[in-house]
Amino acid sequence: MKFYKKAKIQEAIETIIKTKQEKTINNALQINTLGMRRKHLIISVLVLAIGFYSCSKDEGYGGLGKISGKVYAYDITSSGSVRAQGYMGEVKVYISQHNNPNYFDDINTSYDGSFQFKFLNKGTYDLWVYSDCDTCVWKQKYEIKAVDISTKKQAVTIEDFKIIF
């Protein structure tokens, strides 16, 4: 009987020790998991912060700036006199980064000759239109204007483009 009690006591002690060991291991794993979660969170926040601060906002879309204007056209006869004049619709206006001949967008003027490029970042832009030119090699020339958006939400209205058609 004593042997039976001793075996039961021994078994109870082993169960208690095993349970304490399991609890200790589980607590250590939970602490380690929390530590890993914190590390992952800190690393994620740092990566995002570096990403936001290292992104340079070059000229182009993605901002809140606007450039608008109008195209005024002259219909010139072969003798050089003005046959008609006024604001002209359906004229392509091109926009690019300053001193970059490759445009990133173009827009047709409205019926009243107006146009607007929206959602631009701060920076300097070139806008241009093509005009007829009877004395030019390719029978056309361009008028270009440099425009600066210096603040985040700036709306710039440029002087009219003047073209011949």
Side-chain angles (χ1 to χ4, degrees):
M1 188 92 170
K2 284 185 180 183
F3 178 74
Y4 177 75
K5 283 185 180 180
K6 240 185 193 182
K8 279 287 193 185
I9 292 172
Q10 184 70 26
E11 187 178 311
I13 291 172
E14 286 176 6
T15 303
I16 291 171
I17 291 172
K18 190 175 185 181
T19 304
K20 282 189 175 187
Q21 285 175 346
E22 286 175 359
K23 283 183 182 178
T24 304
I25 290 170
N26 285 339
N27 287 341
L29 287 174
Q30 285 176 348
I31 290 170
N32 192 22
T33 303
L34 286 174
M36 291 299 285
R37 285 184 188 159
R38 285 185 188 143
K39 285 180 186 176
H40 286 287
L41 179 63
I42 290 169
I43 290 170
S44 298
V45 168
L46 286 174
V47 166
L48 285 173
I50 290 169
F52 282 125
Y53 287 110
S54 67
C55 286
S56 65
K57 298 211 174 182
D58 292 335
E59 290 88 351
Y61 289 119
L64 299 172
K66 299 178 198 174
I67 299 174
S68 58
K70 287 188 166 192
V71 175
Y72 195 83
Y74 298 93
D75 185 4
I76 308 292
T77 64
S78 58
S79 63
S81 62
V82 176
R83 182 181 331 181
Q85 62 182 336
Y87 290 104
M88 188 168 181
E90 290 299 314
V91 176
K92 278 210 184 295
V93 181
Y94 299 88
I95 186 169
S96 71
Q97 294 175 341
H98 185 57
N99 290 329
N100 184 346
N102 301 312
Y103 66 94
F104 63 83
D105 201 3
D106 61 52
I107 191 168
N108 286 335
T109 58
S110 182
Y111 69 93
D112 64 350
S114 64
F115 65 88
Q116 185 176 62
F117 291 99
K118 298 179 185 179
F119 309 113
L120 299 171
N121 285 320
K122 291 191 299 186
T124 304
Y125 297 88
D126 287 337
L127 277 74
W128 69 91
V129 295
Y130 290 100
S131 175
D132 289 344
C133 176
D134 292 334
T135 60
C136 300
V137 175
W138 297 105
K139 302 288 184 197
Q140 71 177 9
K141 65 178 182 174
Y142 62 90
E143 183 180 351
I144 191 166
K145 295 179 186 273
V147 183
D148 186 50
I149 295 180
S150 56
T151 62
K152 196 175 188 179
K153 296 181 180 181
Q154 186 174 5
V156 177
T157 302
I158 63 173
E159 288 185 32
D160 293 347
F161 282 107
K162 293 185 169 68
I163 65 169
I164 298 170
F165 72 96

